Amino acid sequence: MVKAYLRYEQASSFGVITSLESNIAYDSTGKHVLAPALEKVGIWHVRQGICTKTLSPSSSRVGKSLAVTSIASSSASASVAVGYADGSIRIWDSEKGTCETTLNGHKGAVTSLRYNKAGSMFASGSKDNDVILWDVVGETGLFRLRGHRDQVTDLVFLDDGKKLVTASKDKFLRVWDLETQHCMQIISGHHTEVWSVDIDPEEKYLVTGSADQELRFYAVKQNMPHVSVVSDSDANGVDESGDQLTENKWEVLIPFGEIQRQTKDRVASVRFNNSGSLLACQMAGKTVEIFQVLDETEAKRKAKRRLRRKEKKSSKEDVENVAANGDASNETEKADTVTTTPTVPDVFKLLQVVRAGRKISSFSFCPITPKDSLATLALSLNNNSLEFYTLKSSEKEKTATIEHQGHRSDVRSVALSADNTLLMSTSHSEVKIWNPSTGSCLRTIDSGYGICSLIVPKSKYGIVGTKSGVLEIIDIGSATKVEDVEAHGGTIWSIAPIPDDTGFVTVSADHEVKFWEYQVKKKADQEAKQLTVSNVRSMKMNDDVLAVAISPDAKHIAVALLDSTVKVFYVDSLKFFLSLYGHKLPVMCIDISSDGALIVTGSQDKNIKIWGLDFGDCHKSIFAHDDSVMGVKFVRNTHYMFSIGKDRLVKYWDADKFELLLTLGGHHAEIWCFAVSNRGDFLVTGSHDRSMRRWDRTEEPFFLEEEKEKRLEELFESEIDNAAENRHGSQDEIIEEGVAGLAKKTTVDVLSAADSIIEALEMAENEKTRLAEYEEEKTRGKVPEFAPNVVMLGLSPSEFVLKTISKEKTNDLEHILLPLPFSDALKLLSYMESWSLIPEKVELVCRIATIVLQTHHNQLVTTPAARPILSVLRDILHAKVKESKDTIGYNLAAMDHLKQLMASRSDAPFRDAKAKLMEIRSQQAKRMEARLDTKTERKRKKKQKRVEDGHGHAWA
């Protein structure tokens, strides 16, 4: 009989607040921050500091390829676009937490996303050097823009979404006309990669940030036809001939000037706030520079003051020149001709510099401005935390920090309590206690660099072995450190409990193996009794000891040494029993099975060796991982075992058959540690990516042969993917400058969908043939009743094919129908006459007909058999489309009429509330300004009158 095993699957992952690969973004309400957490996006409530929702994709792909690399939130709706490392983009509804659609178009990681103002479409840039425009409503790619020679780093819409500006590592900015789908302007001048670009809400100024020492500003031409702009071209003098005008006709961005930055780090991101009053420039270090954007009147006032100072300075020089030459007419004429046009330093004024404690990964402005401040700024730091600052005119204030739900650095060890209700994890500077079933952090205790850990039976205390050789005893209930015990002279690499629960064993880089005993004592300075430990026995080895394991019957102790050997001793007498050698590199982990029959070792040489503990013979050596094996553990009372490695994988083995049962992928970096529950129903892994993942045993059985076939299929699919990428776009081909292409890419899902349609057509044809044969036999004489095909679920051939096609997404139809042979395309056209009679399927039928005609145009023209079908479709489809168009037009007119009726009573529902609010605020500001002006004028007149009156009395 074939043996069945139970499957393990990832149940949850926790411990990551924000990951480094992507930016953070506020949602449209300003109450929540969207933060990337490896393959998920966490929606954090800013005031409460809790994660309210998690956007996690359901995909067959796992690990690094599914990491979130870019996030964009729509200002017009709850829609959120998230880009991933495999080039896919998912559109989420942030309120419901559901995935609306998945868009595949890029071959490299998505590096930037940006919605237009209406939220109806968005653009994406990628590491494959392409930019793709996507239709949010139609859930489809519109077109691809090619031209950049290196990855696209940022992009921004211009002119109400009619133009697009893209920045790239190739040091160029490109301006694209989205109506003609061509590049209309290329801007050079940057000496290094352009990392970020943004435009203010009024579309006056565009700013770019690179590794250059200055921020570059450009004036947007079409919105400023009557305003003169101070630029480099003006400084050199502009020729007003016809040639010059035709040359400048396509110039959208005109150089406006530069501002020197305060730090030498490269620019990571530049962003204006929603009102356009502030500009933030984030460096690739610990600082964000905040610039105030002055309005036109203030900028002109500043420019006048600057010119006045300049005039005073020049007038002094003139006096000196007059004294020397006696002629000053020339200079005064020059001074009169100088105009008061604002330059970049007049418009952008450095307000303050925000300095964080750690390196900043990304930042985001809150879309809602608080009452008593200029703006709220959210920062994501590289130590897995979020910080929130309130910016005021002269100072900044840190208002909140989200850091409790994760470690500041990678997780180095995890330990489960005896009843599996608590999980302890250690990292560089703290110990955290978690609830493993919910993933919530219960306690945080400051500690040293914890390398190994253990929860004492009864779950009251935890023992942590540190890098400095100190044993830390932690009281879990009160979240305090009870005692530091100077245990070893080097790093404590491993800790193992003694089976009778009286103590534990530690091994260290100081060549010693120490046995410890639990004791409960009351110290002089303490009221209650506390746990302490005392060293009862020691054993000196010849080399650094890296790992230790004790057999469940407490008979043998196995230690792994730096010389790649494992030595087994008797626990009672500490006499030598066995030496296990065979590994080429040091052994990192050991475990002994519950029955004491097997010992398993994992090494840096990527191998796992299974030994018999009775004679020390090697049963099997298995090449287990693609990198160092970091941990091995048996499931209690079985010979099944788990192994973890630096290759980011968890593997499940049968130690009797020496077979790989399951491979569990999900981590994005090296896995350092793991713990298996007593019952073997779940395990928890801790990784360098700062996440901890819980893997649960399910009730779903699987068979070894099936799993092997599945692995081969996955390998085959990945090869298909690579082959498709190589065929459709080789890296060596020269791309035509600034051109558009198809937005979609062919995936395995698309190919399988095409196969299912071909299969459905074949099945429908067979059914039609059977039906015709049955009718013919029926005319000849009595025949048994016709038995329809069970697979077709009682549908007619036409209905069955329609159902198969309707299952597929409409935005994928073009790619699905491309591989269809011409004979199948003809069969598809023959069914369309009956489909077009269904009103809700008219749009689908028209789309299929258009795609088939475009793809097979040449064959259809030269095939006489296709002519009758096409002529029938021409008559039907035109009429049906006109009918649908009339219905939509009638409904739109009715809605417009209702809108006018409601608008006549109140304009509130159909006015943009935000625009109206801004209008009211600007009116109030003007009124306040006028009031202040009149007050100051009144005060000045009173003062003048008083002075005059005083002078009068004095003369009298």
Side-chain angles (χ1 to χ4, degrees):
M1 187 178 167
V2 181
K3 189 171 182 179
Y5 302 89
L6 290 176
R7 189 179 294 281
Y8 282 82
E9 283 180 355
Q10 185 176 316
S12 64
S13 80
F14 50 93
V16 179
I17 297 165
T18 174
S19 49
L20 309 178
E21 287 83 12
S22 171
N23 61 305
I24 58 168
Y26 271 94
D27 69 345
S28 52
T29 62
K31 292 178 182 176
H32 299 92
V33 164
L34 305 157
L38 305 176
E39 75 276 8
K40 301 191 293 186
V41 175
I43 302 177
W44 293 87
H45 195 288
V46 177
R47 281 193 180 173
Q48 296 173 2
I50 56 168
C51 187
T52 55
K53 281 189 196 74
T54 305
L55 312 178
S56 50
S58 54
S59 173
S60 56
R61 292 193 179 194
V62 288
K64 196 83 172 166
S65 66
L66 207 62
V68 173
T69 53
S70 187
I71 300 171
S73 175
S74 169
S75 57
S77 66
S79 173
V80 175
V82 181
Y84 296 85
D86 62 353
S88 63
I89 299 165
R90 286 173 176 80
I91 299 175
W92 299 84
D93 187 318
S94 61
E95 287 175 357
K96 297 175 188 170
T98 54
C99 181
E100 302 288 313
T101 185
T102 304
L103 305 167
N104 290 301
H106 289 293
K107 292 171 192 166
V110 178
T111 52
S112 55
L113 291 166
R114 190 80 72 115
Y115 276 91
N116 65 348
K117 280 181 185 174
S120 60
M121 68 176 182
F122 69 91
S124 64
S126 166
K127 282 186 178 176
D128 62 6
N129 312 350
D130 291 350
V131 177
I132 298 180
L133 262 288
W134 304 91
D135 180 1
V136 176
V137 182
E139 297 180 356
T140 183
L142 299 173
F143 49 86
R144 183 189 299 268
L145 300 171
R146 289 198 174 109
H148 282 296
R149 301 288 180 184
D150 207 335
Q151 78 173 53
V152 179
T153 51
D154 205 356
L155 33 78
V156 66
F157 282 97
L158 270 184
D159 193 15
D160 296 325
K162 291 175 188 170
K163 294 182 179 66
L164 184 75
V165 180
T166 57
S168 169
K169 275 189 173 182
D170 62 7
K171 306 178 191 175
F172 292 108
L173 285 181
R174 282 177 179 266
V175 184
W176 306 84
D177 188 332
L178 300 183
E179 288 172 350
T180 61
Q181 301 175 17
H182 267 74
C183 179
M184 58 191 296
Q185 188 183 358
I186 300 173
I187 297 161
S188 58
H190 294 88
H191 305 300
T192 53
E193 296 101 334
V194 186
W195 285 99
S196 187
V197 62
D198 200 27
I199 193 165
D200 68 320
E202 293 177 5
E203 296 194 359
K204 284 185 184 176
Y205 311 109
L206 182 128
V207 59
T208 62
S210 64
D212 300 347
Q213 197 52 47
E214 57 278 322
L215 288 176
R216 285 185 169 78
F217 290 85
Y218 297 87
V220 184
K221 190 178 173 185
Q222 69 258 34
N223 284 6
M224 306 174 68
H226 57 279
V227 179
S228 58
V229 175
V230 175
S231 67
D232 300 336
S233 59
D234 294 338
N236 300 334
V238 178
D239 182 21
E240 291 186 1
S241 64
D243 296 339
Q244 187 68 21
L245 285 171
T246 52
E247 190 182 56
N248 290 345
K249 184 183 174 184
W250 302 109
E251 275 192 10
V252 177
L253 302 177
I254 303 160
F256 182 44
E258 298 170 351
I259 286 185
Q260 290 292 319
R261 296 191 285 109
Q262 301 293 306
T263 52
K264 289 181 181 178
D265 294 322
R266 73 164 176 85
V267 174
S269 179
V270 285
R271 287 290 179 270
F272 285 93
N273 67 342
N274 270 24
S275 62
S277 59
L278 294 177
L279 168 68
C281 172
Q282 179 220 329
M283 310 303 164
K286 299 179 182 179
T287 58
V288 177
E289 291 176 11
I290 310 292
F291 293 90
Q292 190 171 8
V293 185
L294 304 176
D295 58 9
E296 208 168 328
T297 53
E298 189 66 35
K300 279 184 179 175
R301 209 175 294 155
K302 201 174 172 186
K304 276 181 186 173
R305 283 202 299 270
R306 178 173 51 78
L307 286 169
R308 223 172 281 143
R309 284 197 299 272
K310 199 175 180 183
E311 279 171 18
K312 278 181 186 176
K313 196 177 177 184
S314 61
S315 63
K316 281 181 186 176
E317 289 171 6
D318 291 346
V319 171
E320 288 168 14
N321 290 340
V322 167
N325 305 327
D327 183 21
S329 59
N330 223 12
E331 282 76 5
T332 50
E333 277 175 27
K334 277 182 188 175
D336 291 339
T337 57
V338 176
T339 56
T340 57
T341 308
T343 57
V344 172
D346 298 331
V347 181
F348 298 91
K349 170 189 160 191
L350 182 65
L351 191 67
Q352 53 186 277
V353 178
V354 178
R355 289 184 194 279
R358 291 296 297 263
K359 196 174 175 185
I360 300 167
S361 299
S362 71
F363 77 96
S364 180
F365 274 116
C366 179
I368 311 298
T369 308
K371 282 182 184 176
D372 308 324
S373 60
L374 298 172
T376 302
L377 194 70
L379 302 180
S380 95
L381 307 183
N382 74 343
N383 68 344
N384 193 25
S385 65
L386 293 170
E387 287 184 355
F388 300 90
Y389 289 86
T390 300
L391 303 177
K392 295 177 181 175
S393 52
S394 57
E395 59 179 9
K396 60 186 179 296
E397 183 190 347
K398 191 196 283 189
T399 51
T401 306
I402 298 173
E403 58 178 11
H404 182 59
Q405 290 294 327
H407 281 289
R408 305 283 71 78
S409 58
D410 48 348
V411 182
R412 287 309 304 249
S413 78
V414 287
L416 281 163
S417 61
D419 57 359
N420 302 325
T421 55
L422 293 177
L423 172 75
M424 182 165 79
S425 64
T426 67
S427 75
H428 195 278
S429 59
E430 57 193 5
V431 173
K432 284 186 180 284
I433 309 296
W434 307 80
N435 180 339
S437 55
T438 61
S440 57
C441 181
L442 309 174
R443 303 273 190 279
T444 302
I445 307 111
D446 290 333
S447 76
Y449 194 152
I451 298 289
C452 53
S453 59
L454 168 77
I455 293 181
V456 177
K458 296 181 184 174
S459 308
K460 284 188 179 179
Y461 294 93
I463 310 285
V464 177
T466 64
K467 197 173 182 179
S468 57
V470 175
L471 274 177
E472 295 179 350
I473 302 170
I474 286 157
D475 186 337
I476 293 170
S478 63
T480 54
K481 195 193 291 183
V482 176
E483 191 184 357
D484 282 349
V485 180
E486 292 290 339
H488 288 276
T491 305
I492 301 173
W493 286 117
S494 183
I495 187 166
I498 293 170
D500 59 5
D501 296 337
T502 57
F504 58 92
V505 181
T506 57
V507 296
S508 165
D510 64 357
H511 302 190
E512 281 198 291
V513 179
K514 289 192 177 182
F515 291 77
W516 302 83
E517 203 172 69
Y518 300 127
Q519 292 176 348
V520 180
K521 287 182 181 176
K522 185 180 177 182
K523 290 190 178 177
D525 56 338
Q526 290 173 341
E527 292 178 11
K529 288 183 177 181
Q530 297 279 16
L531 181 86
T532 183
V533 294
S534 62
N535 182 16
V536 288
R537 284 192 294 172
S538 295
M539 184 166 56
K540 191 82 175 169
M541 310 301 294
N542 328 322
D543 216 330
D544 291 17
V545 191
L546 302 177
V548 62
I550 299 175
S551 62
D553 58 2
K555 191 178 178 184
H556 300 109
I557 179 170
V559 291
L561 303 178
L562 195 64
D563 63 3
S564 310
T565 62
V566 175
K567 296 206 165 25
V568 185
F569 298 87
Y570 290 105
V571 172
D572 50 3
S573 63
L574 297 184
K575 284 187 177 176
F576 177 75
F577 173 50
L578 289 170
S579 181
L580 313 175
Y581 53 89
H583 283 291
K584 294 181 178 70
L585 288 169
V587 173
M588 302 301 292
C589 47
I590 321 170
D591 198 31
I592 298 171
S593 63
S594 300
D595 57 3
L598 298 176
I599 178 169
V600 62
T601 56
S603 164
Q604 284 184 4
D605 63 10
K606 309 173 190 177
N607 287 315
I608 284 174
K609 288 186 189 287
I610 299 163
W611 315 76
L613 197 55
D614 42 7
F615 302 111
D617 55 324
C618 181
H619 290 189
K620 187 75 175 175
S621 179
I622 305 166
F623 181 76
H625 290 268
D626 293 331
D627 210 329
S628 303
V629 181
M630 297 308 295
V632 285
K633 275 193 175 69
F634 279 102
V635 177
R636 184 177 276 193
N637 300 325
T638 68
H639 280 184
Y640 304 143
M641 64 177 187
F642 287 98
S643 69
I644 56 166
K646 281 189 181 177
D647 60 355
R648 308 169 189 162
L649 298 175
V650 181
K651 294 193 176 183
Y652 184 38
W653 306 85
D654 185 336
D656 289 332
K657 292 185 173 180
F658 317 123
E659 289 280 8
L660 172 63
L661 305 178
L662 279 179
T663 301
L664 307 172
H667 278 290
H668 294 229
E670 300 95 332
I671 306 175
W672 292 125
C673 52
F674 77 123
V676 183
S677 69
N678 287 340
R679 294 190 297 274
D681 55 343
F682 74 92
L683 67 145
V684 179
T685 53
S687 166
H688 184 67
D689 62 17
R690 296 171 190 171
S691 74
M692 279 164 279
R693 290 172 195 260
R694 176 187 158 123
W695 313 81
D696 281 6
R697 185 170 64 201
T698 63
E699 294 303 313
E700 182 197 340
F702 71 92
F703 301 99
L704 202 56
E705 291 305 316
E706 280 180 11
E707 207 57 33
K708 281 181 183 175
E709 279 175 26
K710 200 174 167 185
R711 280 199 288 274
L712 283 169
E713 273 175 28
E714 281 171 10
L715 192 70
F716 177 63
E717 277 180 15
S718 65
E719 281 174 7
I720 285 176
D721 273 357
N722 295 338
E725 277 182 27
N726 294 338
R727 188 170 67 250
H728 291 299
S730 65
Q731 295 296 313
D732 302 329
E733 67 177 344
I734 296 166
I735 300 160
E736 192 187 330
E737 278 293 312
V739 294
L742 279 175
K744 296 287 290 178
K745 75 169 184 183
T746 307
T747 60
V748 175
D749 296 337
V750 167
L751 292 172
S752 61
D755 287 342
S756 66
I757 289 171
I758 292 167
E759 202 176 303
L761 285 166
E762 199 176 314
M763 206 179 287
E765 282 301 309
N766 291 342
E767 189 70 1
K768 277 165 84 176
T769 311
R770 278 183 63 224
L771 205 59
E773 284 171 2
Y774 171 75
E775 291 297 332
E776 198 179 317
E777 283 174 16
K778 201 175 177 183
T779 53
R780 289 176 192 168
K782 282 188 177 181
V783 284
E785 197 178 329
F786 180 75
N789 192 339
V790 183
V791 181
M792 291 175 71
L793 307 169
L795 298 170
S796 68
S798 174
E799 287 169 349
F800 178 66
V801 176
L802 180 61
K803 190 187 176 185
T804 310
I805 291 180
S806 300
K807 279 180 191 172
E808 308 306 331
K809 288 183 182 176
T810 49
N811 58 347
D812 288 337
L813 270 178
E814 189 172 353
H815 274 254
I816 290 169
L817 297 176
L818 269 175
L820 235 66
F822 180 62
S823 56
D824 287 333
L826 275 177
K827 289 173 193 172
L828 203 60
L829 285 171
S830 67
Y831 290 117
M832 284 187 196
E833 188 182 346
S834 57
W835 295 349
S836 61
L837 301 172
I838 308 164
E840 62 268 22
K841 296 294 178 186
V842 171
E843 189 191 341
L844 179 70
V845 170
C846 289
R847 187 171 283 203
I848 294 168
T850 310
I851 293 164
V852 170
L853 282 168
Q854 283 175 343
T855 312
H856 302 285
H857 181 263
N858 293 340
Q859 290 104 313
L860 285 167
V861 168
T862 53
T863 308
R867 220 164 273 173
I869 304 166
L870 292 172
S871 56
V872 167
L873 282 175
R874 182 188 60 193
D875 299 335
I876 293 171
L877 290 180
H878 276 290
K880 289 289 177 187
V881 169
K882 192 177 183 304
E883 199 178 303
S884 301
K885 197 178 171 185
D886 290 344
T887 309
I888 292 165
Y890 182 80
N891 290 340
L892 282 171
M895 285 166 75
D896 198 41
H897 178 62
L898 285 169
K899 177 182 168 179
Q900 285 170 9
L901 282 172
M902 289 177 77
S904 63
R905 293 171 197 164
S906 165
D907 68 334
F910 300 104
R911 287 283 300 276
D912 183 0
K914 205 171 185 183
K916 196 173 182 183
L917 188 69
M918 293 301 287
E919 196 181 309
I920 293 164
R921 279 183 183 170
S922 65
Q923 283 172 1
Q924 282 179 341
K926 279 177 187 173
R927 215 173 290 143
M928 287 291 289
E929 206 174 311
R931 208 176 289 163
L932 282 168
D933 285 348
T934 52
K935 273 186 183 177
T936 50
E937 188 67 28
R938 224 176 283 155
K939 278 181 185 176
R940 193 180 62 77
K941 280 182 181 175
K942 272 185 184 177
K943 199 175 181 184
Q944 199 174 342
K945 197 178 180 185
R946 216 176 289 142
V947 169
E948 283 171 5
D949 290 350
H951 275 301
H953 287 302
W955 280 108

